[in-house]
């Protein structure tokens, strides 16, 4: 038997493959494609304390080997999430990780506090890339002081594993990671999207109504891998790698760089079976290479 | 076929039985390279006897041009059947199909579905010029009357398809119950919407938003509601709640 | 006659198309492909005060719609540059911009001071992405204080137009841009490469000997465009757009976003004629759209 | 052809006159999509009468697989002729060509160039197994004696091509002047280098570094000098200073 399992704080995952927030809906959207319980777990679309309608269209555009999005975190709000989305999610037997965001630190606290009452949540992931209205719209993870403060506040209201999801749009992602670790985060996930833009030269308008948006997909994989490598070298808590992963080979790069788990994002759109294929591909690779425990490869990149 | 217009037929026996007009498939482009997304195309026709599905498309960009070079026997990666479909007419006496350019695509299957429906079927077909005209003959074979128009007058009436439509609506008996089906470029949809509202004619539209996924996962394809819902909902999803919508309920901003 | 010209401080360019440093050698490498005088100008490979051998191989790797490099600024040093490379460059009639880097602020000053003696240099571009050994290896443009200091020091030794080339790997590129402007820079160019990494899962080694490297090419174009847009909105001095430009259409996106000129980098490798094709494409576009002055489009993106 | 090995011939009348063995072309892959770079291939043969250039290649990855699907008449975007070439033997009595796998590619043209050269020509050809063997017959036609070896013994002698080479060098008359030409995978080059140094035989090697440009612009293809130059220079460029180098002057530090 090949052991694909991994550990994120107190949370044991049967395999390291998770789905990235905002690219897998509330999992129900993918239930027709395969048995969701084969994944390590799912991370939900971001939930906020109040419902949000999302941004005006156009919200997406294709770029070379990537895409831009400015979806705007549309969601039904915590209460309706509990009433409408949670029943399906709560029946999954693998890890269900709830991704939470807010406009203020207090929004994060209130959402997590309310959700913490639910049975069966495996962990919380805090989306720190969203704009913090208290700090002039800068993201919660663009400043170590703010990241530390929010993490500490949320830490007080839940004992569940807490994952902070970091933006790559900073000078030093490891400084932010360290601040989260110091404040009690159990893991970090990285990366969220890169700030990007595209213009339609015919209409002369930005291709997204929000002007700039978030770049994701294979195009950003090298950036994501560098950030994950950097974080894994300085943090004691586990790092969850995200960014342009399409295949088991891509996932292995992140594991070798030090990731304890992975999230599949944009790839789900082109290939709804992508996340399962990564699980199967990792299994197949271990079998072929006679690797008994996948996590033995974690951080095993040869630097000399 | 017309200039730069292609019909592609592929084997899909199960879908050929169940496909409903308005639904679409999302196809990975051959040699997709750095094209990340699949490309969505309406089901143009479904032949349950032969087990095939057809799409009708214009080669407008890198993806569709690559698709147009497919040869018989090539494998395609198709995701389907996606989206909702047109509601068939009930007690109406006439259906009017309004197609701008390749907007005609879903109507071939719609007319197949309506072959036993007894009412009058009129298709307003607008093209840029005679070089683009397609499908007219087959639509006639499927029991429709065609009103052809073109921007440059090289085929049918000169002018916009909406002008032809409005002329027709003005001259008809206003007591007759009519149902509109509309598909085409956004400016056309906007005009037809105005006309439909003015004449109080119920209309169903298929929209063609850009799509990253096609099945509700990316939330990238919103269609704006004319009236936000009481719970604050401002948008529906083209791929999941649509692509067919009641024309009066949505708006086309930009 | 279509006017493609643009102005970078006192420097008038016949058209806005430059070649990016490190992707066009010392121009001689491209002389066989077309008449170099058709370009707006050329930016040389980085020159440093002392010769540098460059990094150990492998130095490059291909990524989705992009590439990683860690060339390491190999060059013959200022003196040999003047003896061996300058004679060819000095015969070009269009703008020749010398790109300079150093390990310390003083290195920049010494190199510019020495080169300033040459006749016919159109401008200097300071490569601020290289590691600053005085500040623990952080790049010169990852900190506004350092960027300001170096710019001010170099400003003292030359009256020629001074362009500072900024790294995108920062929380706020406009803050760095403002620091350069305050210190007397005449223009900024952006972006240099994004930090990225790739691992060969078979050998388990990084694909670059230097572990991480710089990501360039079409993959980064949306990031570059967002940075150029951000800079153009806050700076009074002109912004030169760089990043993934392959065609006139790409170049137009940057002009609409506010760029006063452009640099073609990675595209030169795949298509040695790329830069000239951009010039011709812009000309053709203006003719087709009846645009008399290309720079009327500068910053003309429609935001509402 | 051998398994997954392809020969591609294209019209290039001017190059067909001037190409020298060792030079290469850099080809944009068809349907390159997100493959940014061109792919370099040695000139395999040049036929000045027909005005064609040949390359011989293995389909090992996305680019070369796409190239292998080219059909007669397809257009190719080829950059050439690039790089330096082999120096022809002067007063030597024998040339020995050592090829690992597709490393045989440039030797076809080299033997064409040496057709009037009077000395002895021996080619050591090593392949993984008999399925990979190619070019042997044509090389014989071009006047060479072939020593074939394969890793699994399914063709020629069992073992590495370097073992066969060393056996030969040991048994030959050490006073005879020999010149080595070498092309193949890096581990082989490393072994041949050791052998050449041991027996004091001058050798020329073609290297196959990864290349972004192929003409000296990216400085991405360094080859390490065994001895740094007095001015501190540690590297040469595979594409511009090479791809042919004196084997003793460079090292392969992976
Ligand atoms: C539900 C649905 C059904 C569709 N049915 C059909 C059909 O039956 N026949 C058909 O020919 N086309 C149809 N389309 C549009 C079709 O998907 C696009 O033409 C196709 O994606 C273009 O791909 P491309 O790579 O060739 O073009 P690209 O290179 O991606 O783009 C070329 C040009 O087309 C525009 N474009 C790209 N995608 C869309 C889109 N979805 N809507 C509007 N403009 C777009 C781009 O802005 C650009 O100007 C449908 C779209 C949707 C959402
Ligand atoms: C001067 C020169 C001459 C060459 N001549 C020939 C020739 O005559 N025939 C031939 O078959 N090949 C030759 N090559 C190698 C050829 O360029 C590669 O096989 C080709 O680039 C692979 O492209 P791909 O897209 O199929 O593979 P990729 O998908 O890019 O890579 C597939 C595998 O090949 C490896 N690889 C890719 N490029 C190279 C390279 N340049 N060197 C070593 N490994 C590589 C990758 O690491 C990977 O493991 C030559 C290379 C050079 C530099
Ligand atoms: C359409 C889309 C929507 C996203 N929505 C969210 C979200 O709601 N919350 C969040 O934390 N990240 C969101 N992300 C970011 C992804 O979770 C992921 O971090 C990023 O896309 C990089 O991974 P990828 O390249 O595999 O997509 C979204 C990404 C995309 C493409
Ligand atoms: C191989 C390579 C070498 C480079 N060398 C330099 C350099 O010496 N100095 C410099 O300022 N920028 C250098 N750059 C960065 C480019 O000038 C440019 O800023 C970057 O590649 C983004 O543009 P592109 O996507 O068009 O390549 C180099 C880039 C590449 C790909
Ligand atoms: S296209 Fe992804 S939700 Fe509609
Ligand atoms: S491949 Fe670019 S310098 Fe050699």
């Amino acid at each position: 038997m090949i052991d694909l399992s991994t550990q994120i704080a107190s949370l044991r995952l049967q395999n390291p493959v998770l789905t990235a927030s905002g690219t897998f809906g509330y999992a129900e959207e993918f239930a027709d494609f395969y048995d969701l319980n084969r994944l390590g777990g799912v991370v939900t679309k971001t939930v906020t304390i109040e419902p949000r309608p999302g941004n005006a269209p156009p919200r997406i555009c294709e770029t070379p080997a990537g895409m831009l999005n400015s979806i705007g975190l549309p969601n039904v709000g915590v209460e309706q999430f509990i009433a409408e989305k949670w029943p399906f999610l709560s029946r999954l037997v693998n890890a269900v990780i709830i991704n939470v965001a807010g406009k203020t630190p207090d929004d994060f606290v209130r959402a997590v506090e309310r959700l913490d009452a639910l049975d069966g949540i495996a962990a919380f992931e805090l989306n720190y890339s969203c704009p913090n209205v208290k700090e002039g719209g800068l993201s919660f993870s663009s400043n170590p002081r703010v990241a530390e403060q929010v993490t500490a506040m949320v830490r007080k209201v839940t004992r569940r594993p807490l994952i902070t999801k970091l933006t790559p749009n900073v000078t030093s992602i490891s400084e932010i990671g360290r601040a989260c670790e110091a404040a009690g985060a159990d893991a970090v996930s990285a990366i969220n999207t890169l700030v990007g833009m595209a213009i339609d030269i015919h209409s002369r308008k930005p291709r997204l109504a929000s002007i700039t948006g978030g770049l994701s997909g294979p195009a950003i994989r090298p950036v994501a891998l560098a950030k994950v490598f950097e974080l894994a070298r300085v943090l004691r808590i586990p790092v969850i790698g995200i960014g342009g992963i399409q295949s088991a080979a891509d996932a292995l790069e992140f594991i070798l760089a030090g990731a304890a788990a992975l999230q599949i994002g944009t790839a789900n759109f082109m290939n709804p079976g992508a996340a399962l294929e990564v699980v199967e591909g990792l299994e197949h690779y271990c079998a072929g290479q006679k690797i008994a425990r996948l996590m033995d490869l974690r951080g095993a990149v040869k630097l000399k | 076929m017309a200039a730069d217009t292609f019909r592609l037929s592929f084997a899909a026996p199960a879908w050929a039985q169940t496909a409903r007009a308005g639904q679409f498939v999302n196809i990975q482009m051959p040699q997709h390279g750095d094209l990340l997304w699949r490309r969505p195309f309406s089901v143009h026709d479904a032949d349950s006897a032969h087990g095939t599905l057809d799409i009708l498309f214009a080669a407008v960009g890198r993806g569709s041009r690559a698709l147009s070079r497919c040869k018989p026997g090539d494998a395609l990666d198709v995701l389907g059947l996606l989206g909702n479909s047109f509601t068939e007419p009930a007690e109406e006496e006439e259906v009017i199909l309004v197609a701008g350019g390749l907007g005609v695509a879903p109507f071939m299957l719609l007319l197949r579905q309506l072959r036993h429906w007894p009412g009058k079927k009129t298709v307003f077909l607008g093209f840029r010029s005679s070089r683009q005209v397609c499908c007219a003959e087959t639509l006639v074979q499927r029991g429709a009357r065609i009103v052809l128009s073109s921007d440059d007058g090289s085929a049918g009436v000169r002018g916009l398809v909406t002008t032809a439509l409005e002329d027709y609506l003005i001259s008809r008996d206003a007591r007759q119950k009519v149902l509109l089906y509309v598909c085409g470029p956004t400016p056309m949809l906007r005009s037809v919407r105005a006309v439909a509202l003015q004449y109080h004619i119920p209309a169903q539209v298929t929209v063609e938003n850009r799509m990253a996924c096609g099945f509700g996962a990316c939330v990238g394809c919103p269609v704006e509601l004319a009236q936000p819902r009481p719970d604050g909902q401002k948008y529906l999803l083209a791929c999941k709640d649509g692509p067919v919508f009641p024309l009066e309920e949505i708006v086309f901003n930009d």
Side-chain angles (χ1 to χ4, degrees), chain A, chain B:
Chain A
M1 254 314 282
I2 294 155
D3 178 6
L4 293 183
S5 75
T6 187
Q7 193 83 27
I8 306 292
S10 60
L11 176 62
R12 188 169 190 80
L13 301 176
Q14 62 185 2
N15 68 59
V17 182
L18 307 167
T19 56
S21 179
T23 67
F24 209 69
Y26 298 101
E28 230 170 321
E29 289 79 351
F30 286 79
D32 286 347
F33 295 115
Y34 56 87
D35 175 6
L36 299 173
N37 283 315
R38 303 254 338 252
L39 301 178
V42 300
V43 181
T44 65
K45 231 174 103 49
T46 291
V47 182
T48 54
I49 187 79
E50 307 291 349
R52 290 172 59 129
N55 288 340
R59 288 180 179 175
I60 53 174
C61 107
E62 210 181 16
T63 70
M67 65 176 280
L68 286 168
N69 89 77
S70 70
I71 307 294
L73 308 180
N75 78 98
V76 295
V78 163
E79 291 308 328
Q80 230 177 303
F81 167 82
I82 294 173
E84 293 171 11
K85 311 292 181 185
W86 181 245
F88 176 86
L89 288 166
S90 67
R91 285 193 299 273
L92 294 179
V93 297
N94 49 356
V96 175
I97 297 172
I98 312 283
N99 180 294
V100 171
K103 290 184 186 161
T104 65
D106 212 50
D107 284 352
F108 278 93
V109 172
R110 285 165 59 210
V112 170
E113 207 163 22
R114 177 68 185 92
L115 289 162
D116 202 50
L118 301 177
D119 261 351
I121 290 182
F124 290 108
E125 181 179 63
L126 307 181
N127 175 0
Y128 278 174
S129 290
C130 45
N132 177 354
V133 298
K134 283 268 165 72
E135 305 265 341
L138 277 179
S139 93
F140 289 89
S141 62
S142 63
N143 180 317
R145 182 183 50 75
V146 176
E148 183 156 0
Q149 183 207 345
V150 190
T151 309
M153 285 171 70
V154 177
R155 180 72 291 175
K156 290 212 187 84
V157 300
T158 182
R159 303 174 74 169
R160 288 205 166 86
L162 206 57
I163 303 161
T164 58
K165 181 168 177 182
L166 307 183
T167 175
N169 303 296
V170 292
T171 309
S172 169
I173 199 168
S174 49
E175 197 187 351
I176 313 290
R178 261 196 295 248
C180 294
E181 182 176 76
D186 295 300
V188 297
S189 53
I191 59 174
N192 213 311
T193 54
L194 287 165
V195 174
M197 180 176 178
I199 296 175
D200 179 338
I201 61 166
H202 304 295
S203 70
R204 297 188 189 161
K205 288 192 209 163
R207 286 195 184 270
L208 300 179
S210 59
I211 304 177
T212 59
L215 184 66
S216 65
I220 70 165
R221 191 165 62 232
V223 175
L225 194 70
K227 300 282 187 201
V228 166
F229 177 74
E230 179 185 339
L231 287 165
R233 296 237 279 187
V234 305
L235 300 186
R236 283 179 311 269
I237 56 175
V239 180
I240 303 172
I242 323 173
I245 303 176
Q246 290 182 297
S247 66
D250 299 342
L252 282 164
E253 286 193 65
F254 282 83
I255 294 171
L256 290 168
L262 314 153
Q263 295 181 13
I264 315 296
T266 302
N268 292 306
F269 302 153
M270 288 84 73
N271 174 8
L276 179 61
E277 283 173 23
V278 173
V279 175
E280 292 173 340
L282 289 173
E283 215 155 35
H284 186 255
Y285 176 83
C286 289
Q289 303 281 312
K290 309 217 182 311
I291 291 165
R293 250 174 48 102
L294 174 60
M295 280 302 135
D296 289 346
L297 295 181
R298 180 174 161 199
V301 59
K302 291 186 193 155
L303 298 181
K304 228 356 350 115
Chain B
M1 284 268 100
D4 282 332
T5 304
F6 299 85
R7 188 167 56 221
L8 190 149
S9 218
F10 58 95
W15 295 347
Q17 306 295 329
T18 57
R20 307 290 300 165
Q23 288 190 290
F24 66 100
V25 290
N26 209 0
I27 307 184
Q28 185 169 298
M29 296 297 100
Q31 291 105 37
H32 54 118
D34 76 351
L35 296 182
L36 212 57
W37 296 346
R38 291 165 180 268
R39 300 290 191 257
F41 298 94
S42 302
V43 176
H44 174 54
D45 206 358
D47 183 334
S48 55
H50 294 93
T52 54
L53 226 61
D54 287 6
I55 61 167
L56 180 79
F57 68 96
V60 295
R62 275 171 59 199
S64 50
R65 268 197 298 270
L67 191 65
S68 73
R69 287 188 293 262
C70 270
K71 277 175 272 308
D74 285 359
L76 269 187
D77 177 350
V78 183
L79 201 64
L81 294 171
L82 301 170
N84 67 357
S85 54
F86 293 116
T87 305
E88 292 187 14
E91 53 341 350
E92 284 84 4
E93 282 123 31
E94 179 174 10
V95 294
I96 299 178
L97 283 49
V98 190
L102 270 275
V104 68
F107 294 153
M108 194 64 82
L109 180 57
L110 183 60
L111 285 178
R112 187 191 276 268
Q113 285 170 212
L114 297 184
R115 63 192 175 282
H116 303 304
W117 181 78
K120 192 171 161 192
K121 301 158 202 169
T122 308
V123 186
F124 284 83
L125 269 182
F127 291 98
R128 259 177 296 133
S129 83
S130 61
R131 296 186 59 241
Q132 273 79 40
V133 174
C134 74
C135 301
E137 279 170 47
T138 329
L139 292 170
V140 170
Q141 284 161 15
R142 297 207 172 171
R145 200 175 63 93
I146 304 289
V147 181
L148 189 65
S149 59
S150 59
D151 299 357
D152 65 358
S154 58
V157 201
R158 179 192 218 98
L160 294 175
V161 65
T162 36
T163 318
L165 172 69
E166 204 168 355
D167 291 348
Y168 181 75
L169 293 177
I170 290 174
S171 62
R172 105 206 135 96
D173 178 348
R175 287 159 312 183
Q176 288 215 324
K177 279 184 118 185
V178 188
L179 186 55
L180 279 179
Y181 294 89
V182 194
C183 184
T186 308
M188 183 200 102
L189 301 184
R190 223 181 257 129
S191 318
V192 176
R193 185 171 188 273
V195 172
L197 288 176
Q198 189 188 337
Y199 295 90
H200 305 287
I201 301 176
Q204 298 176 47
V205 63
T206 58
V207 298
E208 298 199 345
N209 293 33
R210 293 214 200 120
M211 296 182 172
C213 71
F215 52 92
C218 75
V219 202
C221 61
V223 168
E224 194 168 342
L225 285 164
Q227 295 290 334
R229 297 274 162 88
D231 67 357
Q233 191 177 355
K234 283 176 68 178
Y235 302 106
L236 296 174
L237 292 184
C239 69
K240 215 178 116 183
D241 303 314
V244 178
F245 296 96
L247 185 52
E248 62 277 18
E249 287 185 16
I250 64 173
V251 286
F252 302 98
N253 284 326
D254 144 50

